[in-house]
Coordinates of all heavy atoms in Angstrom, one line a residue:
V1486 N -2.0 -7.0 13.3 CA -0.9 -7.3 12.3 C -0.7 -6.1 11.4 O 0.5 -5.8 11.0 CB -1.3 -8.6 11.5 CG1 -0.4 -8.7 10.3 CG2 -1.2 -9.8 12.4
A1487 N -1.7 -5.4 11.0 CA -1.5 -4.3 10.0 C -0.6 -3.2 10.6 O 0.3 -2.7 9.8 CB -2.9 -3.7 9.7
G1488 N -0.7 -2.9 11.8 CA 0.2 -1.9 12.4 C 1.6 -2.4 12.4 O 2.5 -1.6 12.2
I1489 N 1.8 -3.6 12.7 CA 3.2 -4.2 12.7 C 3.8 -4.3 11.3 O 4.9 -3.9 11.1 CB 3.2 -5.5 13.4 CG1 2.9 -5.3 14.9 CG2 4.6 -6.2 13.3 CD1 2.7 -6.6 15.7
V1490 N 2.9 -4.7 10.3 CA 3.3 -4.7 8.9 C 3.8 -3.3 8.5 O 4.8 -3.1 7.8 CB 2.2 -5.2 8.0 CG1 2.4 -4.9 6.6 CG2 2.0 -6.7 8.2
N1491 N 3.0 -2.3 8.8 CA 3.4 -0.9 8.5 C 4.7 -0.5 9.0 O 5.6 0.1 8.3 CB 2.3 0.0 9.0 CG 2.6 1.5 8.7 OD1 2.7 1.9 7.5 ND2 2.8 2.3 9.7
A1492 N 5.0 -0.9 10.3 CA 6.3 -0.5 10.9 C 7.4 -1.3 10.2 O 8.5 -0.7 10.0 CB 6.2 -0.9 12.4
L1493 N 7.2 -2.5 9.8 CA 8.2 -3.3 9.2 C 8.6 -2.8 7.8 O 9.7 -2.7 7.4 CB 7.8 -4.8 9.1 CG 7.8 -5.5 10.4 CD1 7.1 -6.9 10.3 CD2 9.2 -5.7 10.9
F1494 N 7.6 -2.3 7.1 CA 7.9 -1.7 5.8 C 8.7 -0.4 6.0 O 9.6 -0.1 5.2 CB 6.6 -1.3 5.0 CG 6.0 -2.5 4.2 CD1 4.7 -2.8 4.3 CD2 6.8 -3.2 3.4 CE1 4.1 -3.9 3.6 CE2 6.3 -4.3 2.6 CZ 5.0 -4.6 2.8
E1495 N 8.3 0.4 7.0 CA 9.1 1.6 7.3 C 10.5 1.3 7.6 O 11.5 1.9 7.2 CB 8.5 2.4 8.4 CG 7.1 3.0 8.2 CD 7.2 4.2 7.3 OE1 8.3 4.7 6.9 OE2 6.1 4.8 7.0
A1496 N 10.7 0.2 8.5 CA 12.1 -0.2 8.9 C 12.9 -0.7 7.7 O 14.1 -0.4 7.5 CB 12.0 -1.2 10.0
F1497 N 12.2 -1.5 6.8 CA 12.9 -2.0 5.6 C 13.4 -0.8 4.7 O 14.5 -0.8 4.2 CB 12.0 -2.9 4.8 CG 12.6 -3.3 3.5 CD1 13.7 -4.1 3.4 CD2 12.0 -2.7 2.3 CE1 14.2 -4.4 2.1 CE2 12.6 -3.0 1.1 CZ 13.7 -3.9 1.0
T1498 N 12.5 0.2 4.5 CA 12.9 1.3 3.7 C 14.1 2.0 4.2 O 14.9 2.5 3.5 CB 11.7 2.3 3.5 OG1 10.6 1.5 3.0 CG2 12.0 3.4 2.6
L1499 N 14.2 2.2 5.5 CA 15.3 2.9 6.1 C 16.6 2.0 6.2 O 17.7 2.5 5.8 CB 14.9 3.3 7.6 CG 16.0 4.1 8.3 CD1 16.2 5.5 7.8 CD2 15.7 4.1 9.8
T1500 N 16.5 0.8 6.6 CA 17.6 0.0 6.9 C 18.0 -1.0 5.7 O 19.2 -1.4 5.7 CB 17.4 -0.9 8.1 OG1 16.4 -1.9 7.8 CG2 17.0 -0.1 9.3
G1501 N 17.1 -1.3 4.9 CA 17.4 -2.3 3.8 C 17.4 -3.7 4.3 O 17.8 -4.6 3.5
D1502 N 17.0 -4.0 5.5 CA 17.0 -5.4 6.1 C 15.9 -6.2 5.4 O 14.7 -5.9 5.7 CB 16.9 -5.3 7.6 CG 17.1 -6.6 8.3 OD1 16.9 -7.7 7.6 OD2 17.3 -6.7 9.5
S1503 N 16.3 -7.1 4.6 CA 15.3 -7.9 3.9 C 14.3 -8.7 4.8 O 13.2 -9.1 4.4 CB 15.9 -8.8 2.9 OG 16.8 -9.8 3.6
R1504 N 14.8 -9.0 6.0 CA 14.0 -9.8 7.0 C 12.7 -9.0 7.3 O 11.6 -9.6 7.5 CB 14.7 -10.1 8.2 CG 15.9 -11.0 8.1 CD 16.7 -11.2 9.4 NE 17.0 -9.9 9.9 CZ 16.9 -9.6 11.2 NH1 16.5 -10.5 12.1 NH2 17.3 -8.4 11.7
C1505 N 12.8 -7.7 7.4 CA 11.7 -6.8 7.7 C 10.6 -6.9 6.5 O 9.4 -7.0 6.8 CB 12.1 -5.4 7.8 SG 13.2 -5.1 9.3
Q1506 N 11.1 -6.8 5.3 CA 10.2 -6.9 4.2 C 9.5 -8.3 4.1 O 8.3 -8.4 3.9 CB 10.9 -6.6 2.9 CG 10.0 -6.5 1.7 CD 10.7 -6.3 0.4 OE1 11.6 -7.0 0.1 NE2 10.3 -5.2 -0.3
E1507 N 10.3 -9.3 4.4 CA 9.7 -10.7 4.3 C 8.7 -10.9 5.4 O 7.6 -11.4 5.2 CB 10.8 -11.7 4.5 CG 10.3 -13.2 4.7 CD 9.6 -13.7 3.6 OE1 9.7 -13.2 2.4 OE2 8.9 -14.7 3.8
A1508 N 9.0 -10.4 6.6 CA 8.0 -10.5 7.7 C 6.7 -9.7 7.4 O 5.6 -10.1 7.8 CB 8.6 -10.1 9.0
A1509 N 6.9 -8.5 6.8 CA 5.8 -7.7 6.5 C 4.8 -8.4 5.5 O 3.6 -8.5 5.7 CB 6.2 -6.4 5.9
F1510 N 5.4 -9.0 4.4 CA 4.5 -9.7 3.5 C 3.9 -11.0 4.1 O 2.8 -11.3 3.8 CB 5.3 -10.1 2.2 CG 5.4 -8.9 1.3 CD1 6.6 -8.2 1.1 CD2 4.3 -8.5 0.6 CE1 6.7 -7.2 0.2 CE2 4.4 -7.4 -0.3 CZ 5.6 -6.8 -0.5
Q1511 N 4.6 -11.6 5.0 CA 4.0 -12.7 5.7 C 2.9 -12.3 6.6 O 1.9 -13.0 6.8 CB 5.1 -13.5 6.5 CG 6.1 -14.3 5.7 CD 5.5 -15.5 5.1 OE1 4.4 -16.0 5.5 NE2 6.1 -16.0 4.1
G1512 N 3.0 -11.1 7.2 CA 1.9 -10.6 8.0 C 0.7 -10.2 7.1 O -0.5 -10.5 7.5
L1513 N 0.9 -9.7 6.0 CA -0.2 -9.4 5.0 C -0.9 -10.7 4.7 O -2.1 -10.8 4.6 CB 0.4 -8.8 3.8 CG 0.9 -7.4 3.9 CD1 1.6 -6.9 2.6 CD2 -0.2 -6.4 4.3
R1514 N -0.1 -11.8 4.5 CA -0.7 -13.1 4.1 C -1.6 -13.6 5.3 O -2.7 -14.2 5.0 CB 0.5 -14.1 3.9 CG 0.0 -15.3 3.0 CD 1.3 -16.0 2.5 NE 2.1 -16.6 3.5 CZ 1.8 -17.8 4.0 NH1 0.8 -18.5 3.6 NH2 2.6 -18.4 5.0
Y1515 N -1.2 -13.4 6.5 CA -2.0 -13.8 7.7 C -3.3 -13.1 7.7 O -4.4 -13.7 7.8 CB -1.2 -13.5 9.0 CG -2.1 -13.8 10.2 CD1 -2.1 -15.1 10.8 CD2 -2.8 -12.8 10.8 CE1 -2.9 -15.3 11.9 CE2 -3.5 -13.0 12.0 CZ -3.6 -14.3 12.5 OH -4.3 -14.5 13.6
E1516 N -3.3 -11.7 7.5 CA -4.6 -11.0 7.6 C -5.5 -11.4 6.4 O -6.7 -11.6 6.6 CB -4.3 -9.5 7.5 CG -3.9 -8.9 8.9 CD -3.9 -7.4 8.9 OE1 -3.5 -6.8 7.9 OE2 -4.2 -6.9 10.0
N1517 N -4.9 -11.5 5.2 CA -5.7 -11.8 4.1 C -6.3 -13.2 4.1 O -7.3 -13.5 3.4 CB -4.9 -11.6 2.8 CG -4.6 -10.1 2.5 OD1 -5.3 -9.3 3.1 ND2 -3.6 -9.9 1.8
A1518 N -5.7 -14.1 4.9 CA -6.2 -15.5 5.0 C -7.6 -15.5 5.6 O -8.3 -16.4 5.4 CB -5.2 -16.4 5.8

Side-chain angles (χ1 to χ4, degrees):
V1486 169
I1489 293 173
V1490 163
N1491 179 63
L1493 288 168
F1494 277 132
E1495 293 283 0
F1497 170 72
T1498 302
L1499 180 73
T1500 67
D1502 186 340
S1503 61
R1504 295 177 307 140
C1505 296
Q1506 186 181 53
E1507 171 63 17
F1510 278 109
Q1511 288 289 341
L1513 294 170
R1514 201 163 68 82
Y1515 174 86
E1516 281 191 325
N1517 291 338

